[in-house]
Amino acid sequence: MAMERTFSIIKPDATRRNLTGAVTKKLEDAGLSVVASRRVKLTEAQAKKFYEVHAERPFYNDLVSFMTSGPVVVQVLEGENAIAKNREVMGATNPADADAGTIRAEFAESIDANSVHGSDSAENAQIEIAQFFTEDEIVG
Ligand code: RTP
Ligand code: MG
């Protein structure tokens, strides 16, 4: 099994409801270590760049305005198979489809306000981590 790093965002709906700790506990209970963390308010430019892959999708503008609607917590998670493990503990994009016990099943309000982001591939994990953290800010 490979040690990996992945990138996570605790989204504005979760920070607004003081769920930063509860979400982080789910991640840690799944065997993921938080090796970098920072609370930030994303600018529109940052959110647009982050979700650039979805620029042509109908939900893009709503997604950008949601992600800039309040503070988020950006994190680097480390662990064995961290990318897949994080996606598993997050649950499906639409909380109605998310397995019981997952973060989105327990905490998400809707497909838009779905509490967490997690990188979907090793390549994107690298790109997303580099967008928010320098190597010396990550302490494994
Ligand atoms: P994320 O990127 O935030 O980790 O979520 P994801 O991989 O599960 O979903 P993705 O397809 O990458 O979509 C990014 C975010 O856009 C919103 N979305 N809305 N209305 C819709 O059909 C729709 N589809 C996606 C979600 O908030 C999703 O997390
Ligand atoms: Mg995604």
Side-chain angles (χ1 to χ4, degrees):
M1 285 235 242
M3 275 303 265
E4 287 178 338
R5 283 178 178 171
T6 191
F7 180 74
S8 166
I9 302 181
I10 302 176
K11 294 185 178 183
D13 66 287
T15 62
R16 189 180 295 127
R17 289 175 290 147
N18 273 343
L19 293 171
T20 298
V23 169
T24 302
K25 178 160 170 50
K26 286 270 193 198
L27 299 171
E28 292 181 333
D29 285 349
L32 298 163
S33 298
V34 180
V35 293
S37 184
R38 184 166 71 245
R39 180 172 159 110
V40 285
K41 183 128 188 307
L42 296 180
T43 64
E44 191 180 330
Q46 277 177 309
K48 279 187 166 166
K49 181 171 175 226
F50 186 76
Y51 278 118
E52 215 163 35
V53 292
H54 295 311
E56 303 307 318
R57 308 283 284 278
F59 56 81
Y60 181 63
N61 288 338
D62 285 347
L63 178 58
V64 169
S65 63
F66 169 65
M67 290 300 288
T68 55
S69 68
V72 301
V73 178
V74 293
Q75 296 177 318
V76 179
L77 308 176
E78 188 175 80
E80 281 180 3
N81 290 323
I83 296 160
K85 195 176 277 179
N86 184 38
R87 298 285 295 185
E88 200 178 299
V89 70
M90 286 164 56
T93 309
N94 186 344
D97 302 328
D99 288 342
T102 61
I103 292 169
R104 283 165 167 169
E106 287 201 13
F107 303 126
E109 297 179 313
S110 66
I111 191 169
D112 301 300
N114 63 2
S115 302
V116 277
H117 161 82
S119 307
D120 59 13
S121 67
E123 189 193 351
N124 285 336
Q126 267 199 346
I127 292 167
E128 292 171 4
I129 289 169
Q131 196 180 329
F132 289 95
F133 293 101
T134 58
E135 198 53 43
D136 66 298
E137 292 174 315
I138 304 168
V139 183

